[in-house]
Amino acid sequence: MPDISGETSYADGKILKHATDGVGVITFNNPAKRNAMSLEMWEGFGEALTALRDDDTVRVVILRGAGGKAFVSGADISQFEKTRHNAAASEEYARRSAAQRAMLADYPKPTIACIEGFCLGGGMQVAMLADIRLAAHGSQFGIPAARLGIAYGYDGLKHLVSLVGPSWARLLMYTGMRIDSAEALRIGLVERVFPVDELWGETMTIAETISQNAPLAIKAAKITIAQVLKDESRRDMEAIKAIGAACMDSADFREGRQAFMEKRKPKFQGK
């Protein structure tokens, strides 16, 4: 478990944020409802993302769920009668939560979803928006939209198809079925699976490795991969060229070369 010294809370304590040694952590903290997301939690999530984005000491962000039972089990269905009872209300709900999803989709720093337990519906969308997904053995994944009579949004399905392909996306969406961590790994929904008692340590090891690497080089990879995933006509090749030039002209590149020659570990500053 993470050291929670200096922790900040949002949404009446249902979103927690802290940072240490270059690693930021956001915790979905609604274990009584298996971390189901309310509108207030979405808004608090955006505030936490913004704070870590603007913290120059943070180089990578981990997303996790509290309680050991769920990452995020979906939207808080108890709010549906008030917030999503018809098309107009659902559109307003989507509008109010869209900004946070968009921020995560275009987040400038690497993000890791650390998944233990249920990862369902809107929780799947959060996880799919992260750059990397690490899961515990026994975790459960699914999108039960067909069982609730609601349409899963374009962005969520776009990411699902990009990860698992159209056929698996259809099977998951048409049936509303859940799959376990082994199946999720096999079809490409998650990248690594660990025993429950090793998940946090392995996640932190990966996060710390990322935080110690050159931030500009990681930013270049993130920008370029995002452009590769776009249709060729929409790719911003100038952005790729610009970040490449920034890397080559950076003090970090000089530090990397010098550290290699001196056979020592480099100390990157992100400049």
Side-chain angles (χ1 to χ4, degrees):
M1 292 297 105
D3 173 10
I4 59 172
S5 57
E7 193 166 62
T8 303
S9 67
Y10 307 86
D12 293 325
K14 290 184 172 63
I15 297 291
L16 306 176
K17 178 266 296 179
H18 82 280
T20 181
D21 297 329
V23 179
V25 179
I26 296 176
T27 303
F28 303 104
N29 186 41
N30 190 16
K33 292 187 176 182
R34 293 182 173 174
N35 303 323
M37 292 287 282
S38 63
L39 272 174
E40 294 75 19
M41 287 176 68
W42 275 112
E43 290 165 355
F45 180 45
E47 293 179 67
L49 284 171
T50 299
L52 292 176
R53 180 196 67 193
D54 296 342
D55 184 341
D56 291 338
T57 69
V58 172
R59 295 186 176 181
V60 58
V61 174
I62 299 171
L63 310 176
R64 64 185 294 270
K69 300 293 185 183
F71 173 69
V72 172
S73 62
D76 186 348
I77 297 175
S78 68
Q79 286 196 336
F80 277 24
E81 281 302 314
K82 179 180 179 182
T83 63
R84 301 179 75 178
H85 55 281
N86 59 28
S90 185
E91 185 175 348
E92 174 64 11
Y93 177 96
R95 185 191 67 78
R96 289 180 61 185
S97 59
Q100 293 77 27
R101 293 193 298 273
M103 184 187 301
L104 182 56
D106 295 325
Y107 208 62
K109 299 177 181 181
T111 52
I112 302 172
C114 176
I115 302 162
E116 180 180 355
F118 293 104
C119 181
L120 308 173
M124 279 268 287
Q125 189 164 16
V126 172
M128 291 188 296
L129 286 170
D131 292 324
I132 299 166
R133 284 153 295 282
L134 309 174
H137 288 307
S139 297
Q140 297 282 315
F141 301 83
I143 301 173
R147 298 182 180 183
L148 294 169
I150 60 176
Y152 205 62
Y154 172 82
D155 288 339
L157 284 177
K158 176 184 175 184
H159 287 291
L160 181 63
V161 171
S162 73
L163 289 170
V164 306
S167 295
W168 260 103
R170 293 185 186 104
L171 181 59
L172 290 169
M173 295 305 302
Y174 295 176
T175 65
M177 67 188 290
R178 294 180 187 175
I179 59 173
D180 64 15
S181 55
E183 190 83 286
L185 179 65
R186 189 181 71 80
I187 67 175
L189 186 59
V190 302
E191 282 67 66
R192 303 286 300 279
V193 174
F194 303 102
V196 172
D197 60 355
E198 296 178 14
L199 174 65
W200 182 251
E202 294 287 354
T203 301
M204 279 300 295
T205 296
I206 291 171
E208 288 166 353
T209 298
I210 293 170
S211 74
Q212 292 164 9
N213 285 335
L216 283 174
I218 291 171
K219 184 176 181 180
K222 183 159 184 167
I223 288 172
T224 304
I225 291 168
Q227 296 305 317
V228 167
L229 292 173
K230 293 180 179 179
D231 183 88
E232 187 173 356
S233 64
R234 297 181 57 242
R235 289 176 190 157
D236 187 349
M237 302 307 291
E238 287 303 313
I240 296 173
K241 182 178 178 181
I243 190 61
C247 285
M248 298 304 292
D249 288 338
S250 70
D252 277 355
F253 181 39
R254 293 191 296 275
E255 166 65 8
R257 299 197 310 272
Q258 188 171 349
F260 179 81
M261 297 298 293
E262 296 173 359
K263 296 185 167 73
R264 61 173 175 82
K265 191 173 182 178
K267 296 181 180 179
F268 296 117
Q269 302 299 317
K271 301 176 182 178

